[in-house]
Amino acid sequence: MLCKFRSLTSVFAIMIAAAPFTARAAEGDTPQPAGTPAADQPMQEIVVTATRRAEAITKVPISMMAIDQATLTKQGVKDVSDLARLVPGLNLETNDDDGDSSLSIRGIVSDVGAATVGVYIDDAPVQSRQEAVSTNPYPKIYDLDRVEVLRGPQGTLFGAGSEGGTLRFITPEASLQKFSGTANAEVAVTDGGSPSWELGGAVGGPLVEDKLGFRASGWFREDGGYTDRLDPATHALTGTDTNSSGSTVAQLKFKFAPTDSLVIAPSLYYQDVRQDDKSVFTESAGPFNDLAKIPQPRNDHFILPSLSIGYDFDAFSVKSITTYLSRTLADQYDSTEYLLADEIPAQYTLLPTDKNFFATANYREEQLNFSQELRFTSNADADSPLTWVGGLFYQHARSASESYYKAPRLGEVADFASEYYYGVPSSTANYFGEGLLPGKLAYFDHYVLNDTDMAVYGNATYEVLDGLKLSAGLRVARSGFSYFDGSNGPWGPAAPTEYSGSSKETPVTPRFGITYQLAPDQMIYATVAKGYRTGGANEPVPSNACRTDLNQLGVKNAPVEYDSDSVWSYEAGAKGRFFDGQVLLEGSIFWIDWSQIQQAVDLVRCGYYYIANLGEAASRGFDLQAEWTVTKRLTLSGTAGFTDARYVKSLLQDGQILAKVGDSLATPEWSATLAAEYTFPIFEGTDAYGRIDYEFSGPYYNFGSDQTFGYDATTRDQPATHFVSLRVGAKQGGWDWALKVDNLLNSRTLLSRYHQSNDSPFFTDTTFRPLTVGLSAQYKF
């Protein structure tokens, strides 16, 4: 590892050393030799707000990637899973057969506890705790100005949860000066699946010039299914292309400027995602065949109103930002194995054949986030060496889940399960006064968690010499959480149970930086920063059913709470445009120390888990990205990332190894992308183009080595993935027609392999959507 890291620093040093030379070349006025193909105009500069002020990306001392809507469209990005394939260091891990996923940056990965990546829609924080709401509310990729991916801890400006980095979805503002809009349509077919289609449009402009403007957008997409459902006993076809889904997105924004200094901007964002069935298949039944006995639908919708009020004074600006996220997620699934098979291994043979051996589960999850921020920003002054930003922040986030399990079977298996759990000699009448009749609840759980965060923050940058800047920032917060967990039923812990608790802490997250501007659009920088995420509480696990696991760990019961964890990050980077702006290069190297990690302790025999603070880890690596306008017709681009994230300290409990030094965290070491785009005229006023994208993510391990508690050889290995997409089309005026192919090689590499417990022989898998070919038309004005 040390040799690898030294080689990375050598590459980085060469990049910095070359900067002055290329800067002089860029500033020179040597004409091109005759016959040299004329290059395009320099690529457009992307303006970002990662530092809470608008700046060109080449002047922002953060390792980040910004992708505008035009590039997102070219690369066929529709959602966060597509985005994760494009950004080095960004990883989306599928956690189970529900399709739940966790996002990580630079190896700061955990599929339980508080989020490690801050997720924002404009200025609204929307990330959720993973134990209360199973996945973050990621917006679909439509009518965005850009996506910003900030790598490394951003706790000073973005607070708790931005421990590994921050993901920001920035929507277009309403314009007070000019009208603009877009309309698009698409149809597509998937190998072995049903057709897909989409319609969308956006329009905006001044209602009263320079005073009142608006922007409105709407988008609907239907993705055809490609998995079939089979009868578990006979394997007869019971449903075709069952995992179809539909997405609806709408947004309305206004901007009101009654004076030159005052701007009032209300907005409303709405999204609804419907999934008719899981996009999983049962391994024993073959690719894209699922043996679930019932459809397993999911619906996820949220509404996000916000209000921004800004006022410009001579020396500084002040902005008030109020947001409120209201989200509901509901799903249903076949829970037969979850309720019974983990406890009764001898009955596994009944699962596919016995029609009576059947249980269902219904989940309803709710997320309510209210935030209020008052931000102060110094106004640009060319004569002042000092710039600053500071503010006050308040957030209250409520996460709640309700779980209902029904087991419509009356007979020996239900009686056996009751006796197995609690040692009672008869039936469930011991708990409900009657047998487990059809439709009766087998288990119910109600879980509510409240997070509160109050903070004051600030960051100042001072230019001590021409081009040399020093910066320092600090965030001091008062964070707290409280929870309530109540459950009942013969399959759960001894009924009824109620747990509650609360805690508070005062995290402090500093940030320090130094920046040197080699040329107007070339810089080098170094930063030291801290990030954190708050602690939380565990849902109870059934003490009798999990007794063997708990005894092995030397504990009577799972811990009720777990603590916060934190990181210290050390980063150096360089970025800039070279050769008359035709080449964009960005790169950084980093070292992150992570302590008191919130991780899951899997109780492999009973199928439950609890969260604990497990050991210490270090994440080390680099990321590079480049874009080269070779000629006025040809553009090449690529990214590469290396992340080596490993435990640096073992953690033992009663002789059991929970975390082992040297074991890697669940993130790929290598990731890379390559893209080429070529444009050529076909007749007057019309250009044709072709683009190919290749995305690679390396193999990794989902959890620790064979000496660690909870080891499962069947699900540990995560293979490398290769994804290729192709797009060819033509542009004329505001029109863009295209033929696109996603998953050109029809890759079926497993993205996840899951079973309920180590004893279960039934695996469910996920993979890429099969080869999909589509036609699209877009008009912009």
Side-chain angles (χ1 to χ4, degrees), residues 347-639:
Q347 301 295 336
Y348 271 124
T349 55
L350 294 178
L351 285 173
T353 57
D354 188 339
K355 293 183 179 180
N356 292 320
F357 198 92
F358 177 59
T360 63
N362 291 88
Y363 277 168
R364 179 180 174 85
E365 302 174 342
E366 184 181 75
Q367 181 182 356
L368 300 173
N369 285 17
F370 170 80
S371 71
Q372 173 63 55
E373 183 174 2
L374 191 62
R375 185 186 308 159
F376 302 87
T377 308
S378 63
N379 289 332
D381 184 350
D383 297 327
S384 174
L386 176 67
T387 58
W388 53 266
V389 60
L392 304 171
F393 178 81
Y394 172 81
Q395 181 181 27
H396 179 264
R398 179 183 186 273
S399 302
S401 64
E402 292 183 345
S403 312
Y404 301 87
Y405 295 87
K406 294 182 180 181
R409 175 192 172 98
L410 177 65
E412 60 184 37
V413 174
D415 294 342
F416 183 90
S418 180
E419 184 173 357
Y420 179 89
Y421 266 86
Y422 305 111
V424 293
S426 56
S427 70
T428 55
N430 289 280
Y431 295 91
F432 291 133
E434 59 182 338
L436 193 62
L437 299 173
K440 292 297 180 181
L441 285 176
Y443 176 59
F444 165 78
D445 184 76
H446 179 62
Y447 184 72
V448 180
L449 192 148
N450 290 281
D451 276 290
T452 303
D453 186 28
M454 297 180 288
V456 56
Y457 67 88
N459 191 86
T461 300
Y462 190 83
E463 188 169 14
V464 294
L465 298 172
D466 187 24
L468 179 63
K469 298 179 179 179
L470 302 178
S471 66
L474 185 69
R475 188 184 192 98
V476 180
R478 183 61 170 168
S479 300
F481 80 90
S482 62
Y483 73 95
F484 170 82
D485 194 316
S487 61
N488 202 344
W491 262 280
T497 63
E498 291 187 359
Y499 298 90
S500 63
S502 64
S503 72
K504 292 185 177 181
E505 57 186 325
T506 306
V508 178
T509 47
R511 183 183 185 92
F512 307 97
I514 181 170
T515 304
Y516 183 66
Q517 204 75 34
L518 299 167
D521 55 0
Q522 297 167 14
M523 67 177 297
I524 56 176
Y525 68 90
T527 60
V528 178
K530 186 181 181 181
Y532 79 102
R533 56 176 175 158
T534 56
N538 283 303
E539 296 183 58
V541 301
S543 56
N544 288 325
C546 298
R547 179 49 49 203
T548 300
D549 293 303
L550 294 173
N551 285 342
Q552 281 186 284
L553 293 170
V555 298
K556 183 177 181 180
N557 294 297
V560 175
E561 299 173 358
Y562 55 90
D563 297 327
S564 60
D565 59 18
S566 63
V567 300
W568 275 102
S569 171
Y570 312 90
E571 176 184 315
K575 58 176 66 177
R577 298 184 181 275
F578 308 96
F579 303 108
D580 292 328
Q582 303 309 311
V583 176
L584 170 66
L585 290 173
E586 296 187 39
S588 67
I589 57 176
F590 63 89
W591 186 300
I592 300 175
D593 290 322
W594 191 8
S595 59
Q596 292 294 302
I597 304 170
Q598 297 172 17
Q599 296 279 31
V601 178
D602 290 312
L603 306 176
V604 295
R605 297 203 176 274
C606 68
Y608 286 80
Y609 73 89
Y610 64 83
I611 303 170
N613 298 94
L614 302 181
E616 300 176 6
S619 178
R620 300 153 287 201
F622 77 97
D623 51 75
L624 295 170
Q625 55 199 63
E627 185 173 348
W628 179 22
T629 306
V630 183
T631 72
K632 66 179 181 179
R633 301 297 181 191
L634 177 63
T635 301
L636 304 177
S637 60
T639 66

Side-chain angles (χ1 to χ4, degrees), residues 56 211 227 244 338 340 538 573 626 642 655 696 770:
K211 295 295 183 182
T227 63
S244 59
Y338 179 75
L340 294 179
N538 283 303
F642 173 78
F696 166 78

Side-chain angles (χ1 to χ4, degrees), residues 126-147:
V126 299
Q127 70 265 20
S128 63
R129 280 185 176 269
Q130 296 167 97
E131 71 267 32
V133 181
S134 54
T135 186
N136 283 317
Y138 303 113
K140 294 293 182 179
I141 309 297
Y142 184 76
D143 194 34
L144 291 181
D145 184 75
R146 65 191 182 278
V147 176

